[in-house]
Amino acid sequence: MNLLKFVPIKLTILLVFGILIGYNFNLNFKFAFLALLISTLSLGLVFLKTKDNSRYLFGSLAVLTTILLGITISAQAKPGSYSHHYSNYAIDNQVSLVLKIQEKLKPTDFSLRYIAKVQHYEGKKAVGKLLLNCTVDPKYSSLEVDDELMVLSEIVEINSPLNPHQFNYKKYLEQKGIAHQLNLSQNNHFFLKSNTRTIKGLASEIRNKIILKLNSAGFDQDELSIIQALFLGHRDDISQTTYSNYKDAGAVHILAVSGLHIGILLLFLQFLLQPLERLPKGKSIKLMLIVIFLWGFAFLAGLSASVVRAVTMFSFVAYAMYLNRPQNTFNILALSMFFILLVFNPLLVFDVGFQMSYAAVFAIVWIYPLLQRFWYPKNWLLNKGWQLLSVSIAAQIGVVPISLYYFHQFPGLFFISNLVIVPFLGLILGLGIMVIALILLDFAPNSLIELYNLLIGVMNSVIAWVSQQETFILKNISFDFVQLLLTYALIFSLIIALTKPTFRKMAAFLTCIVLLQGWSIYTLNKTSNKEALIIGHQTKNSILSHQKGNELDVFSSDSIAAMRIVNNYQITERIDQIKHQGIENSFSYKNKKILVIDSTGVFANGIKTVDYLLLTKSPKINLDRILDSLQPKMLIADGSNYKTYIERWKRTCINKKLPFHYTGEKGAYFLD
């Protein structure tokens, strides 16, 4: 099937292309909007005077208009695009803000985090979103969605990653429209009483009441945390062990209320409401009830962004099922994606959950029928098993390149966890909704609660067993963006070639194989010829890494802590071998001398000059005398030093006009 013959798919691809252009080239919103307006007017004029010889002009203008639409909405979604956005005012000093809590994020070990919407800046109306950080304190547990605060604080930028190939949290938040953060302390804020209510706040309040009811229902702790994740999108209470088990078993998607749950709920409702089709206009009534139930479930789950977009997508899918035209499913899926990006947020195109949801659904709709035509067992039980396995295989084919790119691992036994769990997930969801409803009505019998607790416990046990088969879990897989694109090209060309083999289709498939192999050879050759010495940043630790080809020597004072940084570097740079050693007093790299002075303040006698002086572990030294003696070309201080020492050393270097590099501000230092 040629997917590009569908007009909505073409328009969606063009819209995404425009969003990527607008985001990466930082185009001006007013300029983009003016260009879109001119293009739209031109398109309208050509449409009114369309003749056979002008259809190519109309098509070209339609392509240009859709791309410009993507550029415009992308530019508009960026922080600072509005004149009254808070970032367009002076934010260097402490300012007064009125903030409204919009979303609670998963807390860290050190802080509670929220997304707050700016309502007023220094008494003036303003817009924008901020990351709000609070220290872990019982005082802040009362912060809920829709709470309004008056805050006097300094707005600061979110830090960029300080080490190579580290997760870029700054970029991640920018793609959600957040560019700054502020810290909430005990004395810099107070609550406002006259706060308005939103539907998200109401949903959050109801969800919190449900959580309190569930906590007193008598579920075991692990089972309770899974129930809260399955139905309420509340994953904060899941233990690290349980989460790791689901991740290694390839079933972590079960813990996130998203496309899988909404899709299963849709199929369950389709089956449950089937008798309505016998009534006059029964199909229309069934469609209406299904959409109402889906959005009711979204409300129950707190109307989080992932749930809202999943329910929006499957509302369109429900309409496609109502039409009962298989080819229309592709059109309607593309239209749902177009609608979500256009209305909700164009930056969702960068969201991993959004990408995986659509990749999985498109793959199921396209590949599942092909697998069913490939083999159709006559035995009923075997046929049902093959259908479930086909769905799982199709979904995995759709998402595996994205999974490898972001998470660098592949669960080899994914089909077992999905084959065993997914068929019963409909039962788990349906029974769970009934159990929660009875608990809220104080009418749930203990036997039903114990049965459901046992059911969730069995699911956890199966997942734990699959995750323990470490031989089948492939981890630390190097997979870059080019490989992502080439792998999808390979999958598309293979499916098209197998559907109706021709010489040109097979040639395209073989070309993708050659390109993928060629890129792999190029990257391996690039790695084998690379050499670099990196002074990394980690609090209370010193890390020097010497890469020579696919080997990495790591010099650190705490090798276990260093692996949190080294692991990301190892995956991205395709390192095969790592050796850990202690920090030495001096290093030589490409005729450059590096002297290390630690907390002892002692260094070898006889050293006259050095190129780089590295200070670690807060040495108590007379820096002026050492600089005059050794005459280094640069002074480097890493994250193991006290900040008061850093400030003093920085002032000394400014006075002596000597370059100073602190890894806590400027990130890791590269010698390559």
Side-chain angles (χ1 to χ4, degrees):
M1 184 183 294
N2 183 10
L3 294 178
L4 292 179
K5 73 179 181 181
F6 301 117
V7 173
I9 291 180
K10 293 178 183 177
L11 293 177
T12 303
I13 292 173
L14 292 171
L15 183 74
V16 171
F17 183 61
I19 291 171
L20 294 176
I21 293 174
Y23 181 82
N24 290 299
F25 290 93
N26 200 24
L27 299 178
N28 182 268
F29 169 70
K30 292 181 180 178
F31 173 78
F33 180 76
L34 180 61
L36 174 64
L37 186 62
I38 294 171
S39 178
T40 304
L41 291 174
S42 302
L43 182 66
L45 290 173
V46 172
F47 176 75
L48 293 174
K49 298 182 178 181
T50 297
K51 296 180 180 178
D52 290 339
N53 59 2
S54 63
R55 65 181 185 274
Y56 295 110
L57 176 60
F58 179 81
S60 300
L61 280 172
V63 168
L64 178 62
T65 303
T66 309
I67 292 174
L68 286 172
L69 177 61
I71 293 173
T72 304
I73 61 175
S74 176
Q76 180 265 339
K78 281 190 170 183
S81 60
Y82 295 99
S83 59
H84 55 297
H85 192 274
Y86 74 87
S87 63
N88 292 322
Y89 301 105
I91 57 174
D92 296 333
N93 302 314
Q94 281 195 342
V95 293
S96 64
L97 299 161
V98 175
L99 304 177
K100 190 181 190 71
I101 303 299
Q102 193 174 46
E103 184 179 349
K104 294 175 69 173
L105 301 179
K106 187 174 182 178
T108 67
D109 293 336
F110 309 103
S111 66
L112 303 173
R113 299 178 302 162
Y114 305 86
I115 293 177
K117 186 178 179 181
V118 178
Q119 294 188 310
H120 290 87
Y121 177 96
E122 293 288 337
K124 296 174 285 189
K125 279 196 172 184
V127 296
K129 292 189 291 185
L130 289 166
L131 177 66
L132 187 64
N133 297 306
C134 316
T135 54
V136 176
D137 191 304
K139 174 184 175 62
Y140 299 119
S141 61
S142 60
L143 279 181
E144 297 294 344
V145 176
D146 279 352
D147 282 348
E148 292 185 11
L149 310 169
M150 172 70 79
V151 182
L152 180 64
S153 179
E154 183 180 356
I155 300 174
V156 296
E157 286 193 9
I158 297 163
N159 295 329
S160 298
L162 298 173
N163 293 292
H165 310 308
Q166 206 172 10
F167 175 67
N168 195 334
Y169 192 57
K170 179 178 182 177
K171 185 177 180 181
Y172 170 79
L173 289 177
E174 281 180 353
Q175 292 171 350
K176 293 181 177 294
I178 303 169
H180 297 87
Q181 63 182 335
L182 60 82
N183 296 316
L184 205 63
S185 63
Q186 188 174 359
N187 301 317
N188 70 348
H189 73 282
F190 61 87
F191 288 90
L192 298 177
K193 293 182 180 179
S194 58
N195 58 320
T196 55
R197 302 294 290 167
T198 65
I199 188 169
K200 288 190 69 173
L202 180 61
S204 178
E205 183 180 341
I206 293 174
R207 186 176 67 164
N208 290 337
K209 290 180 179 178
I210 294 173
I211 290 173
L212 288 174
K213 281 279 190 178
L214 289 175
N215 285 333
S216 60
F219 291 106
D220 293 336
Q221 187 57 45
D222 280 344
E223 284 70 18
L224 177 62
S225 66
I226 298 299
I227 292 170
Q228 291 180 170
L230 283 173
F231 296 97
L232 306 174
H234 182 80
R235 295 190 292 173
D236 297 354
D237 297 331
I238 298 177
S239 67
Q240 186 59 46
T241 301
T242 303
Y243 184 82
S244 298
N245 288 341
Y246 275 81
K247 181 180 177 182
D248 292 341
V252 72
H253 53 281
I254 292 174
L255 299 179
V257 180
S258 58
L260 175 67
H261 302 74
I262 307 302
I264 290 174
L265 189 59
L266 171 61
L267 294 176
F268 181 75
L269 291 171
Q270 281 280 108
F271 171 76
L272 194 66
L273 300 176
Q274 190 74 26
L276 290 176
E277 294 188 6
R278 299 176 183 177
L279 300 174
K281 296 186 179 180
K283 287 188 70 176
S284 299
I285 296 172
K286 188 178 89 168
L287 173 64
M288 188 183 305
L289 288 175
I290 285 173
V291 172
I292 290 172
F293 278 127
L294 289 181
W295 281 100
F297 185 80
F299 187 84
L300 180 72
L303 291 174
S304 66
S306 61
V307 177
V308 168
R309 65 171 180 261
V311 171
T312 303
M313 179 177 71
F314 278 98
S315 297
F316 278 88
V317 172
Y319 179 65
M321 297 173 75
Y322 164 79
L323 295 175
N324 198 24
R325 296 176 185 173
Q327 289 192 349
N328 273 339
T329 305
F330 292 104
N331 279 327
I332 291 173
L333 273 175
L335 283 173
S336 72
M337 186 174 177
F338 191 98
F339 176 82
I340 290 171
L341 292 175
L342 190 63
V343 175
F344 285 96
N345 185 2
L347 300 183
L348 277 174
V349 75
F350 300 106
D351 186 273
V352 181
F354 179 83
Q355 295 169 10
M356 296 188 81
S357 292
Y358 272 95
V361 174
F362 266 107
I364 291 171
V365 172
W366 189 24
I367 300 173
Y368 171 74
L370 302 178
L371 292 173
Q372 289 299 294
R373 287 203 296 267
F374 174 74
W375 184 44
Y376 192 84
K378 294 182 180 180
N379 181 278
W380 182 87
L381 184 61
L382 192 60
N383 184 30
K384 291 300 179 183
W386 172 239
Q387 287 178 1
L388 291 170
L389 186 59
S390 298
V391 170
S392 181
I393 291 172
Q396 283 293 331
I397 290 173
V399 303
V400 70
I402 298 175
S403 181
L404 290 175
Y405 176 66
Y406 287 108
F407 308 116
H408 303 289
Q409 74 174 40
F410 179 74
L413 294 180
F414 72 89
F415 59 91
I416 292 181
S417 55
N418 284 278
L419 195 61
V420 174
I421 299 301
V422 172
F424 297 101
L425 199 56
L427 173 64
I428 291 170
L429 291 174
L431 183 59
I433 290 173
M434 183 179 73
V435 170
I436 291 174
L438 291 174
I439 289 173
L440 293 177
L441 296 172
D442 295 321
F443 198 66
N446 290 332
S447 57
L448 183 62
I449 292 174
E450 290 174 2
L451 174 64
Y452 196 66
N453 189 78
L454 177 64
L455 189 62
I456 299 295
V458 170
M459 181 175 74
N460 287 345
S461 299
V462 172
I463 293 295
W465 179 84
V466 175
S467 69
Q468 289 168 8
Q469 314 310 310
E470 296 185 359
T471 307
F472 298 95
I473 302 172
L474 307 177
K475 296 184 178 182
N476 298 337
I477 302 172
S478 298
F479 202 80
D480 58 33
F481 185 70
V482 175
Q483 287 174 305
L484 172 72
L485 297 179
L486 291 176
T487 302
Y488 270 120
L490 180 68
I491 292 171
F492 273 93
S493 61
L494 174 61
I495 295 171
I496 291 171
L498 292 177
T499 305
K500 195 173 181 180
T502 64
F503 175 78
R504 293 179 63 181
K505 292 176 181 177
M506 291 304 298
F509 169 63
L510 293 173
T511 300
C512 290
I513 292 178
V514 171
L515 289 174
L516 190 57
Q517 289 180 329
W519 179 257
S520 298
I521 293 170
Y522 166 76
T523 53
L524 288 173
N525 183 63
K526 184 180 177 182
T527 297
S528 63
N529 293 323
K530 182 173 182 178
E531 185 177 7
L533 184 70
I534 306 160
I535 301 172
H537 177 81
Q538 190 173 45
T539 305
K540 299 180 181 179
N541 194 18
S542 297
I543 304 173
L544 281 83
S545 303
H546 180 207
Q547 179 185 357
K548 195 168 185 180
N550 57 2
E551 296 181 358
L552 188 70
D553 291 324
V554 180
F555 303 89
S556 65
S557 51
D558 186 345
S559 60
I560 295 176
M563 280 306 298
R564 292 198 295 269
I565 293 173
V566 172
N567 189 55
N568 292 329
Y569 190 85
Q570 175 190 4
I571 294 170
T572 308
E573 294 291 336
R574 294 172 167 82
I575 302 297
D576 293 332
Q577 184 178 352
I578 296 178
K579 292 192 297 184
H580 288 275
Q581 303 178 50
I583 293 283
E584 299 178 2
N585 294 115
S586 63
F587 295 87
S588 180
Y589 177 76
K590 292 185 177 181
N591 298 321
K592 301 289 185 181
K593 293 182 180 179
I594 306 161
L595 178 65
V596 180
I597 302 180
D598 58 18
S599 58
T600 63
V602 177
F603 58 93
N605 294 324
I607 297 179
K608 295 183 179 179
T609 58
V610 296
D611 296 287
Y612 300 93
L613 178 60
L614 173 61
L615 303 180
T616 71
K617 302 291 183 183
S618 306
K620 296 179 180 179
I621 54 175
N622 188 323
L623 186 59
D624 289 277
R625 185 185 303 168
I626 290 176
L627 294 180
D628 292 338
S629 173
L630 300 177
Q631 295 292 312
K633 297 175 182 175
M634 173 171 281
L635 179 65
I636 304 170
D638 65 15
S640 65
N641 297 287
Y642 297 133
K643 289 187 177 181
T644 53
Y645 285 36
I646 297 292
E647 292 300 320
R648 187 168 70 243
W649 295 338
K650 181 190 271 188
R651 289 194 296 270
T652 301
C653 289
I654 290 173
N655 293 334
K656 290 185 173 292
K657 297 182 180 180
L658 177 70
F660 177 74
H661 185 102
Y662 171 46
T663 58
E665 290 179 353
K666 300 179 180 180
Y669 189 82
F670 286 79
L671 287 84
D672 53 20

